[in-house]
């Protein structure tokens, strides 16, 4: 792709680093920004800078937050004895959009994947086990994607907490095997939370 301006070329190259954005789409976005008032572009760039510099991760659940403790964890109306274990922040957003879940979350930050070099120590598993050890949690809901890596992560955590008096369940398989949670429709995802099943059944029946 030939550019008549090095400035446009640099902007397109940077924009195309975003996931799902190719060079043609990046060029379309850059030219769109070029047509907008300068202050509009300034608002966008400032919002991105503020997000990057000021965003925090909740010290309790590891969700993104504007404060040290996210709004979900700080909400006294939520059931703090019920924790939904998810892979990343996009899954929190997906489940929240269903309006069916009233507990809190724990964001692992990924899933165990030896092929990609991701082990248990690189995930937020230790803090989850500490929550269980505190005795303040009555149920964990595994809501990781139905993949080999997701199932491996579920089983690893299950073994870590198997000695504690706690209910361990997993979302019902309304989510297709191999699907990522964030792409499930809200109705299916909401029902899978409501109709969760004991985790033990998912591997004893295999």
């Amino acid at each position: 792709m030939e550019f008549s301006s090095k400035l446009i070329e640099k902007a397109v190259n940077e924009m195309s680093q975003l996931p799902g954005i190719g060079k043609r789409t990046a060029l379309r976005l850059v030219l769109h920004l070029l047509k907008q008032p300068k202050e509009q572009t300034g608002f966008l760039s400032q919002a991105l800078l503020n997000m990057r510099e000021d965003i925090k991760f909740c010290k309790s659940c590891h969700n993104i937050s504007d404060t040290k403790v996210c709004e979900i964890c700080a909400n006294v109306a939520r059931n703090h004895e019920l924790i939904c274990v998810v892979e990343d922040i996009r899954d929190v957003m997906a489940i929240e959009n269903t309006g069916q879940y009233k507990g809190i979350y724990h964001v692992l930050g990924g899933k165990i994947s030896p092929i990609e070099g991701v082990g248990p120590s690189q995930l937020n598993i230790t803090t989850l086990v500490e929550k269980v050890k505190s005795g303040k949690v009555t149920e964990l809901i595994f809501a990781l994607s139905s993949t080999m890596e997701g199932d491996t992560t579920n089983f690893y955590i299950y073994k870590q907490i198997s000695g504690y008096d706690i209910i361990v369940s997993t979302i019902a398989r309304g989510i297709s095997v191999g699907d990522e949670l964030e792409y499930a429709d809200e109705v299916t995802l909401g029902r899978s939370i409501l109709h969760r099943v004991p985790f033990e059944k998912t591997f004893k029946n295999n």
Side-chain angles (χ1 to χ4, degrees), residues 30-183:
V30 168
L31 293 178
H32 171 76
L33 290 174
L34 197 59
K35 293 177 182 178
Q36 303 304 305
K38 285 185 178 181
E39 59 267 23
Q40 188 64 44
T41 305
F43 294 150
L44 173 60
S45 59
Q46 190 60 52
L48 292 173
L49 283 173
N50 290 344
M51 176 196 68
R52 196 65 186 89
E53 293 177 358
D54 299 334
I55 202 74
K56 298 176 178 61
F57 290 91
C58 176
K59 66 178 184 180
S60 178
C61 72
H62 309 288
N63 188 19
I64 54 173
S65 176
D66 293 341
T67 54
K68 290 183 178 179
V69 178
C70 72
E71 292 183 358
I72 296 174
C73 287
N75 188 345
V76 294
R78 308 285 295 221
N79 182 358
H80 287 247
E81 296 181 352
L82 179 62
I83 296 181
C84 185
V85 182
V86 297
E87 180 182 344
D88 63 31
I89 56 178
R90 292 172 296 183
D91 300 330
V92 173
M93 295 175 182
I95 295 173
E96 283 297 287
N97 284 338
T98 70
Q100 299 294 324
Y101 180 66
K102 303 304 179 185
I104 58 175
Y105 298 89
H106 188 90
V107 181
L108 295 176
K111 50 195 172 188
I112 297 172
S113 178
I115 294 177
E116 296 180 4
V118 179
S121 62
Q122 294 167 274
L123 304 177
N124 299 319
I125 294 178
T126 301
T127 50
L128 176 61
V129 174
E130 289 299 321
K131 290 177 183 178
V132 174
K133 287 182 178 180
S134 72
K136 297 178 181 179
V137 181
T138 59
E139 182 181 357
L140 283 188
I141 305 173
F142 289 142
L144 274 64
S145 54
S146 304
T147 60
M148 183 179 295
E149 292 82 4
D151 290 343
T152 298
T153 307
N154 286 341
F155 188 71
Y156 178 86
I157 297 172
Y158 176 76
K159 296 300 289 183
Q160 297 296 306
I161 61 174
S162 59
Y164 297 91
D165 184 21
I166 184 174
I167 298 170
V168 182
S169 59
T170 184
I171 57 176
R173 295 302 192 188
I175 310 301
S176 300
V177 173
D179 280 358
E180 295 293 341
L181 206 66
E182 63 176 297
Y183 299 121

